[in-house]
Amino acid sequence: MLANDDFNSPSTACEMDLRVVVIYVILSTCGVSGVLQKGHEPPEFLHGSETKTSISRKGAILRLRCSVSANPPADVTWYRYDEEVVEDRKKIRMRVGLNHNALTIRDLDSLDSGDYICSASNRYGKITKTYTVSVVDSQPLQPRAITVVPPKLQVRCGDTAVFKCNYKSDFNSHIQWLLEVPANSTSRYDPTSILSVHSKSYVVLESTAHNDDVLRLPNVTRAHNGKIVCLAANTFGYGYNSTVVQVLPQSGLPAFVDELEDLSVSTSAPNFTLTCVARVPLDLGYYLQWEKEGEPIDPEVFVFHHLNQSRVVDACVEEISSTMTISPLVQGHWLSAREGGQYNCLVQNKTGSTIMYGQATVTFQENANDNEASKSQSAIVSLTPRRVTVQEGDSVSIYCHVRGEKKPLFAWLVKPDTSVPVCDIRHTLLIDYISYRLVGSGETWSRDEMNHLNILQLDDVSMEHAGTYLCYVVQSGAREETTLTVLPRNVGPRVIAPFMGNRSVTVGENSVLQCRAESDNTPTVQWYKEVEEGYSDETRSLFGMAVVSLGFPDPVWETAGTYLSLYSFRDGVKVSDQGKYLCVWSNGGGQDYDQGYLRVRVRQ
């Protein structure tokens, strides 16, 4: 140690040449009390030095902890209002340890409120930490009397919803808005974002409002359908209340994009096409169905194709379309008045109920020029369809109507979209400096001497068939083109092992039924339970059984092309749950199902 006498004054000592004090740390002269040697350290709080706040009820026990690291060990002293706190064994107790020290105050009252200071020092330094203590009455301190306004709300998809959370609290509280997630919908969310409270799942809702007691959702979707919870919490606990939200379809849905138009068709035409396009609420299972004069249409008249498609417009709306081309030639006759009449496009929901429909009346008329064949040169009157889109595996017919040639010779040519040879191609022809390949001659139907219809039939279409097809009349050189587009086929889902099977459970158990399937695209799944015939108005016939729907849980993606669906008995199995269960997987290419029997035992 260097004594004060070694220097003229404290200021001189602090300003000495560093060469004199190179191996010393001058402590006493500069206001510090010792020399820091190897292995020694000044006091340091283990859990930070920031001020701590404690709010306690009257009559409770308060324990303030002060953990300090120091070498040599620090001396810890507690102060209140600059006075040292003295232990009295009845009300105030102190515990001193190597690094951990605690001040305990029993039977708190309002006089115990104030700032308590933990002071720790050794010869190398001194530090302090403040604890602010508030003692309050023993009335409820957690948030209470919580209400959510409005308690129920119907809102249309895409609109804005606003909620206000009212509550009482003696201290500052934090508000959190939560959306309850059904057990069969948790796969929609990131697992790390799901909160589990009392066996229920929630996700946090983000609000665009400035105050946390107001929830503003500017673009409501179907995911908001259900229960929204306001959770208010402070130091002493929490309270909550909820509102029930019913998300309705957008106003005016379902709706046809264009009204169906009446058709006037010539009896010389080989076919006619009807197209129906509607906008419907997203993910509610709407689809289009055709009928004629109130009766389903015989699918054998669909010579071209019957193509159903859908596309997502936004978070609330999808657009579904159905194109139907009708020709009776497959039955051996031309179009006539019997194909005329009223055709209806039905918009139906997942239960098969018709929500709305559009009408188109098809009439036929004789073409005055049909019997006046051109004497000079044959001509192609029509080539239908001009553009056709099918899926892999479908069959397609292309019609070429020629007038003015008694015995025309037909050749069908193709300009493929790919370099892969199309089936039955034998030769290459150059027409107008464009290379075509011969497909075949088709099959010719003659209405009279001067009106002929040639049909090119393509079965089990593959991607290789895509291209531009040319109907060519050899005698006159007349020609017309049509384009064939081939889409990948949506193969129906396939149920895979482990299968549901039969199982036995005890009343009260939390059981889960599992159902797995493979699918080339994301499928939907619906659960059913077999019931007695006439069980309720919701009973329907499915696979020869009378069933009621249990809902549409979202499938869980497991691996590439594999999906899992779970049906949970969240409140425990009941005796009434015994019976046969079905899960039905569907996509654009078909459906498949699995079934199992649940036997419920009663506890002995």
Side-chain angles (χ1 to χ4, degrees), residues 14 23 41 51 61 144 156 159 206 234 251 267 273 306 347 361 456-457 518:
C14 291
I23 62 172
E41 58 182 22
T51 299
I61 298 176
R144 57 198 181 278
R156 293 198 177 277
D159 288 352
E206 298 295 335
N234 62 18
S251 179
T267 53
T273 299
H306 183 192
V347 179
T361 300
L456 175 65
Q457 179 73 24
E518 292 178 336

Side-chain angles (χ1 to χ4, degrees), residues 18-172:
L18 291 178
R19 292 171 296 178
V20 180
V21 293
V22 67
I23 62 172
Y24 296 103
V25 176
I26 312 243
L27 301 174
S28 58
T29 318
C30 295
V32 188
S33 59
V35 177
L36 187 62
Q37 300 180 6
K38 186 176 181 181
H40 293 175
E41 58 182 22
E44 181 181 2
F45 290 116
L46 296 179
H47 304 296
S49 60
E50 63 274 9
T51 299
K52 300 292 184 181
T53 300
S54 174
I55 304 175
S56 302
R57 290 187 178 94
K58 184 181 294 185
I61 298 176
L62 172 65
R63 182 173 289 106
L64 304 177
R65 294 179 174 83
C66 185
S67 301
V68 180
S69 172
N71 187 17
D75 294 323
V76 175
T77 306
W78 288 91
Y79 296 91
R80 180 169 180 262
Y81 297 130
D82 298 328
E83 293 184 3
E84 183 177 349
V85 178
V86 180
E87 186 175 30
D88 65 5
R89 295 191 176 274
K90 290 183 178 181
K91 186 175 180 67
I92 299 176
R93 298 289 300 271
M94 296 184 186
R95 189 184 69 181
V96 179
L98 181 61
N99 293 323
H100 304 285
N101 301 270
L103 172 65
T104 302
I105 306 175
R106 302 175 180 272
D107 192 20
L108 287 170
D109 58 40
S110 58
L111 297 177
D112 295 318
S113 299
D115 290 340
Y116 290 77
I117 298 174
C118 172
S119 175
S121 62
N122 64 10
R123 62 188 301 183
Y124 302 111
K126 177 181 178 180
I127 55 176
T128 60
K129 184 175 182 178
T130 301
Y131 299 77
T132 299
V133 175
S134 297
V135 180
V136 297
D137 292 336
S138 58
Q139 61 185 11
L141 300 175
Q142 67 270 22
R144 57 198 181 278
I146 300 174
T147 59
V148 181
V149 180
K152 292 182 179 180
L153 179 65
Q154 287 185 334
V155 59
R156 293 198 177 277
C157 191
D159 288 352
T160 297
V162 179
F163 306 92
K164 178 73 164 61
C165 186
N166 300 315
Y167 63 96
K168 294 181 180 180
S169 178
D170 300 305
F171 302 95
N172 291 333

Side-chain angles (χ1 to χ4, degrees), residues 321-367:
S321 64
S322 179
T323 301
M324 178 178 65
T325 302
I326 293 180
S327 174
L329 285 172
V330 71
Q331 299 174 355
H333 63 83
W334 288 64
L335 286 173
S336 64
R338 79 182 115 185
E339 278 75 52
Q342 181 176 291
Y343 288 82
N344 297 328
C345 175
L346 311 179
V347 179
Q348 298 184 324
N349 61 20
K350 59 189 177 185
T351 64
S353 300
T354 298
I355 306 302
M356 61 183 298
Y357 64 92
Q359 297 179 341
T361 300
V362 179
T363 57
F364 288 87
Q365 60 182 1
E366 292 288 339
N367 191 327

Side-chain angles (χ1 to χ4, degrees), residues 372-561:
E372 299 178 3
S374 171
K375 304 294 184 179
S376 60
Q377 187 178 18
S378 63
I380 296 178
V381 177
S382 65
L383 183 67
T384 54
R386 286 291 183 177
R387 180 178 294 274
V388 59
T389 301
V390 297
Q391 293 181 342
E392 287 183 295
D394 287 349
S395 296
V396 62
S397 301
I398 305 176
Y399 293 72
C400 186
H401 180 197
V402 173
R403 181 188 303 138
E405 187 76 47
K406 289 188 176 181
K407 293 182 179 180
L409 297 177
F410 290 90
W412 285 94
L413 310 171
V414 65
K415 182 175 63 177
D417 283 346
T418 66
S419 59
V420 180
V422 177
C423 59
D424 295 332
I425 290 180
R426 302 177 181 87
H427 302 89
T428 299
L429 300 177
L430 193 64
I431 301 178
D432 295 337
Y433 304 102
I434 299 176
S435 179
Y436 288 88
R437 293 177 180 177
L438 179 65
V439 177
S441 58
E443 183 177 0
T444 301
W445 297 66
S446 296
R447 182 177 184 182
D448 50 45
E449 287 187 353
M450 295 301 176
N451 285 282
H452 312 278
L453 185 69
N454 188 272
I455 305 173
L456 175 65
Q457 179 73 24
L458 300 175
D459 294 319
D460 193 20
V461 173
S462 67
M463 301 296 290
E464 299 172 356
H465 288 89
T468 300
Y469 285 77
L470 182 73
C471 174
Y472 186 77
V473 181
V474 176
Q475 292 95 326
S476 64
R479 69 201 72 167
E480 289 288 347
E481 289 185 345
T482 184
T483 301
L484 173 63
T485 301
V486 182
L487 303 177
R489 170 163 291 280
N490 292 329
V491 179
R494 301 162 297 282
V495 171
I496 59 174
F499 301 108
M500 196 184 313
N502 302 328
R503 59 186 308 179
S504 180
V505 297
T506 303
V507 170
E509 287 187 16
N510 293 324
S511 185
V512 177
L513 301 180
Q514 299 187 6
C515 183
R516 286 179 169 83
E518 292 178 336
S519 180
D520 296 331
N521 55 356
T522 303
T524 60
V525 61
Q526 185 171 11
W527 285 83
Y528 298 92
K529 183 177 185 293
E530 185 179 23
V531 296
E532 297 180 1
E533 196 71 51
Y535 175 80
S536 72
D537 293 338
E538 298 181 354
T539 302
R540 59 173 293 190
S541 178
L542 186 67
F543 307 118
M545 293 175 280
V547 298
V548 292
S549 174
L550 301 177
F552 287 82
D554 290 330
V556 178
W557 182 85
E558 288 193 309
T559 59

